[in-house]
Amino acid sequence: MPDLKLIDPCNRHLNYLRISITDRCNLKCMYCVPRDHITRLSHDEILTYEEILRLVRIGIKLGISKIRVTGGEPLVRKGVYGFLGELSRIKGLTDLSLTTNGVALKDNLEKIKSAGIKRVNISLDTLQRKKFAQITGLDLFGQVWQGIEMARQMGFHPIKLNIVALAGVNDDELKDMARLSFDYPYHIRFIEYMPIGDSQMGNGPLLLAPEIKKRISDLGTLIPVRNSVNDGPAQRYRFEGARGEVGFIHALSHHFCDRCNRLRLTASGQLRPCLLSDHHEDIKGPLRRGCSDDELAEIFFRAVRHKPSDHNLAVHNPDRVCGQMSAIGG
Ligand code: SAM
C-alpha cells in the first residue's frame, strides 16, 4: 500500500472517519427523518462488521487516527459491542467515540466501557418529557436522562450533549440547557439545524449560533476554550465557575470547512468527503468484488480528491442535501 496520507487539494489532512453502522433508529426525530414512509436499507445492503473493520485498517494506514461510530442509532445494530471492542483493539487508532440517542445507554454502559469506549456524544434536544416525545416520537426522556447520569457516574468523559436548535420547538429551553453546564461536567453542544434529506421540518426560520449565544449570554461570562488539534469544529466556551462547557456547531452561519478533517463511511458503503455535498465514492462494490487493499486505498484517495473546499449550504434558501442523515452518519 502506498505510504501516502489522506491530504486533500486544500491541504487538509483527513484523519477523522465517521462511520454510520446502520441507517435504522429507535427514534424518529423530527429534524432527522420523516415520521412515516422511511425507506430502510436491507441487511445485504449495509456493510458487515468485517467489511468495516477491513476499511478501517486501510484507513489507519492512510492516516486515519480518530473514529466516531454513529448511525442511525448504532446501539440498535446486533453485535455492536463486539464490533466496538474489535475497533478499539486496532493499533493506530488514538480516539474512538460513539454518538447515540441514549435510549439503550443505561442497560449497556458496562458493555460500552468494556469495549474500550471512554467518551460518548448523546443527543438530547429538550429537558421536557412531553417535548421529548414530540421531537422524537417516543416518551423516553426519563430513560435517556438516566443513561446520561449513569454514564457520568461510570466515568465517561467528556459527555457531550447534542442539541439541535429548532426555532419554535426548543428555543425556550436554550438557557436551561446551557445552565446544565454549571451543575454537571457535560459539554453542551448547540447544533444549527441542517436541511439534509427528508424530515418533518418545514422551511421555517433557522435558529443560528450567534442568536443562541446571545440568548444564553446573561447566564454569565462566556470564556473561550481553545480547541486542541484533534477537536471538532465546535466553538467552545465555559461560563465562569461552570463545571462543563457550552459549544456551538455552526455549519450554516459560519462555515468551518477550512478546518474540516472528516471523511464519512455510510451504512451502505459509500465514502463521503463532505456531509453537506452529495458527492460519494462507492467502496462497497469494489470491496465485494474482491479488490485488493491497494485498490481500496485508491478509492479513499479519490474521495479525498473530491472534498469540496467549502459547502454550499447558505443561511438564506439553503439547498437540501440528498440522502438521510441516518444513513450518512451525523
Ligand atoms: N442516533 C444517534 C443520535 O441520535 O445521536 C446518532 C445518529 S444522529 C444522525 C447524529 C447527530 O446528528 C445527532 O446529534 C443529531 O442531533 C444530528 N442531526 C440529525 N439530523 C440533523 C439535522 N438535520 N441538522 C443538524 N443535526 C442533525
Side-chain angles (χ1 to χ4, degrees):
M1 191 177 304
D3 188 23
L4 291 172
K5 299 300 176 214
L6 300 171
I7 302 174
D8 78 358
C10 299
N11 207 27
R12 291 170 296 192
H13 291 232
L14 307 191
N15 62 355
Y16 182 9
L17 183 65
R18 287 201 171 192
I19 306 174
S20 171
I21 62 168
T22 176
D23 63 332
R24 286 162 201 264
C25 190
N26 39 10
L27 297 181
K28 288 184 179 172
C29 296
M30 61 195 297
Y31 52 79
C32 190
V33 287
R35 188 129 293 177
D36 310 303
H37 311 301
I38 304 175
T39 322
R40 294 292 186 212
L41 296 166
S42 69
H43 187 67
D44 291 348
E45 285 173 298
I46 62 169
L47 291 177
T48 64
Y49 288 135
E50 291 69 28
E51 288 170 333
I52 297 173
L53 289 167
R54 180 170 171 208
L55 294 177
V56 166
R57 288 192 185 95
I58 294 171
I60 286 176
K61 288 194 186 130
L62 304 177
I64 297 289
S65 58
K66 179 174 175 178
I67 286 185
R68 171 172 298 283
V69 175
T70 179
E73 171 50 38
L75 301 187
V76 301
R77 183 159 173 189
K78 212 170 149 197
V80 61
Y81 305 105
F83 166 70
L84 293 173
E86 296 258 348
L87 257 186
S88 71
R89 283 190 287 276
I90 296 181
K91 286 207 173 68
L93 203 57
T94 55
D95 187 27
L96 174 61
S97 59
L98 179 73
T99 298
T100 171
N101 58 29
V103 168
L105 210 51
K106 78 178 176 64
D107 296 327
N108 295 294
L109 279 162
E110 285 295 349
K111 285 186 256 177
I112 294 172
K113 198 169 187 178
S114 309
I117 304 280
K118 297 185 181 66
R119 61 189 195 87
V120 285
N121 284 15
I122 303 159
S123 296
L124 187 74
D125 303 301
T126 174
L127 296 173
Q128 298 171 17
R129 184 181 151 193
K130 267 195 181 158
K131 204 185 288 176
F132 185 95
Q134 179 200 340
I135 294 174
T136 66
L138 285 179
D139 184 5
L140 293 175
F141 173 78
Q143 186 169 317
V144 171
W145 183 254
Q146 218 183 328
I148 294 169
E149 277 293 83
M150 284 172 64
R152 177 175 65 83
Q153 284 152 13
M154 283 173 65
F156 285 86
H157 187 76
I159 293 175
K160 295 184 187 171
L161 301 184
N162 287 345
I163 301 141
V164 179
L166 303 168
V169 178
N170 60 4
D171 53 347
D172 56 331
E173 290 186 72
L174 300 175
K175 273 194 203 168
D176 296 339
M177 297 296 241
R179 210 176 274 122
L180 283 180
S181 74
F182 283 93
D183 301 330
Y184 301 91
Y186 301 145
H187 291 197
I188 311 296
R189 290 280 184 270
F190 293 104
I191 303 175
E192 290 178 351
Y193 164 73
M194 295 173 277
I196 299 177
D198 287 335
S199 75
Q200 300 153 53
M201 304 298 290
N203 288 331
L206 295 169
L207 185 54
L208 302 175
E211 173 66 20
I212 303 170
K213 202 168 156 188
K214 199 163 94 193
R215 293 210 210 164
I216 64 170
S217 61
D218 56 354
L219 289 179
T221 309
L222 277 171
I223 303 160
V225 174
R226 198 184 299 167
N227 276 355
S228 51
V229 188
N230 246 355
D231 275 351
Q235 213 177 35
R236 296 167 55 189
Y237 298 89
R238 186 184 289 276
F239 282 112
E240 212 168 350
R243 297 174 65 196
E245 292 185 11
V246 295
F248 304 92
I249 314 248
H250 38 50
L252 271 91
S253 65
H254 179 86
H255 296 194
F256 37 75
C257 306
D258 56 326
R259 286 179 289 120
C260 182
N261 58 351
R262 297 170 182 182
L263 197 58
R264 286 181 158 81
L265 179 62
T266 71
S268 63
Q270 315 293 313
L271 277 176
R272 266 180 100 117
C274 170
L275 171 65
L276 299 171
S277 133
D278 291 324
H279 185 88
H280 56 270
E281 297 288 338
D282 176 37
I283 198 160
K284 179 180 66 186
L287 180 71
R288 292 189 177 172
R289 284 196 296 276
C291 280
S292 66
D293 284 5
D294 281 356
E295 288 166 319
L296 296 173
E298 182 43 41
I299 298 171
F300 273 83
F301 287 118
R302 209 184 303 148
V304 165
R305 280 197 293 275
H306 280 96
K307 190 169 174 73
S309 56
D310 203 348
H311 67 71
N312 295 324
L313 271 193
V315 170
H316 303 293
N317 298 322
D319 290 333
R320 288 201 88 79
V321 175
C322 295
Q324 290 302 123
M325 187 76 142
S326 50
I328 303 169

